[in-house]
Amino acid sequence: MTKHLALIAKTQSLIAAGDIVGAEAALVALADDEGDAALMVVLEQLPPKDVLAVIREYDNSKESVVGLLVTPAQFARAVVIEKLYKDLTRTHLRGMVNAVIFREDADPLEFLTAIGDLEGGSEALADYFSDQWSRLEGFARSGGFEPADEYGKMLSQSALLASAYEKPRVRQEEIADQDWMQLAWLLRYELPDLFIEMLMVLRAKASAHKAVSDEEDENDDDVQDDGKVETGDTDRGKATPTARESDEESAI
């Protein structure tokens, strides 16, 4: 255990220094030397933020030993704090979720349930689907993945609850892409309560984003700068440098 504590300290130090590759290499070396069980013990001792730092740097060209061994509970704790990275593209979030949840030996429902059981879990899933809001609304309404064409056609929460156990229109085999469509299918037909909760969060995020965009558009319309300078401005030294006070010049 003392050796493991030393490795944990080394791993955390490497992560703090930004050497994620080095941190993962140290963990892989442990698995090679002492087996997967030893690595799983160390992963359980690492803070979620450090586990996240390693698994979010996924690489499609190779499998990550850490990603292959992380448990649903460990992964869920990491996923709910991923937003701290402020990755607006959600590229890392989607990549690591797909890589871990759809790994060969995994049960996706165990991972999704673990995420949903944590505070912030539905928000993390909403972030995962942030680029597919319209198509997810279409899926909720019709069971197909055609984009929703009108905001007013969104199903109410009660209607979503009523349709939660409808027979799938699309079979999972038809959209088994190990990406967002398959994840959406699993949520709607296997974990409908979590699907609805996530969709409500996604709607709120989309509504807030639209409100900000509309406000920015209004501000752009209100501010019409034609490049002209009002005469009153020159009198107060706002347009002509010669009108500045000498001490103001020296401070620049």
Side-chain angles (χ1 to χ4, degrees), residues 93-158:
L93 174 62
R94 285 190 291 268
M96 71 174 185
V97 166
N98 291 344
V100 173
I101 285 183
F102 293 116
R103 72 192 189 196
E104 187 174 351
D105 67 332
D107 179 354
L109 296 182
E110 288 186 12
F111 283 90
L112 291 172
T113 299
I115 293 171
D117 286 343
L118 290 182
E119 181 179 354
S122 57
E123 181 180 356
L125 290 172
D127 287 339
Y128 172 93
F129 288 109
S130 58
D131 286 348
Q132 304 296 342
W133 172 71
S134 181
R135 297 183 73 178
L136 210 64
E137 286 289 353
F139 178 56
R141 188 177 70 221
S142 68
F145 287 99
E146 300 81 9
D149 50 4
E150 291 181 27
Y151 188 88
K153 287 188 176 181
M154 290 190 304
L155 292 181
S156 65
Q157 187 170 359
S158 59

Side-chain angles (χ1 to χ4, degrees), residues 22-67:
E24 183 174 17
L27 295 172
V28 170
L30 173 66
D32 290 341
D33 294 341
E34 300 184 32
D36 292 349
L39 176 54
M40 293 179 72
V41 171
V42 168
L43 290 178
E44 187 63 42
Q45 302 302 314
L46 281 174
K49 64 181 181 62
D50 292 331
V51 175
L52 173 62
V54 175
I55 62 176
R56 79 186 300 270
E57 298 299 329
Y58 71 98
D59 183 347
N60 289 330
S61 66
K62 63 182 181 68
E63 289 185 328
S64 166
V65 173
V66 177

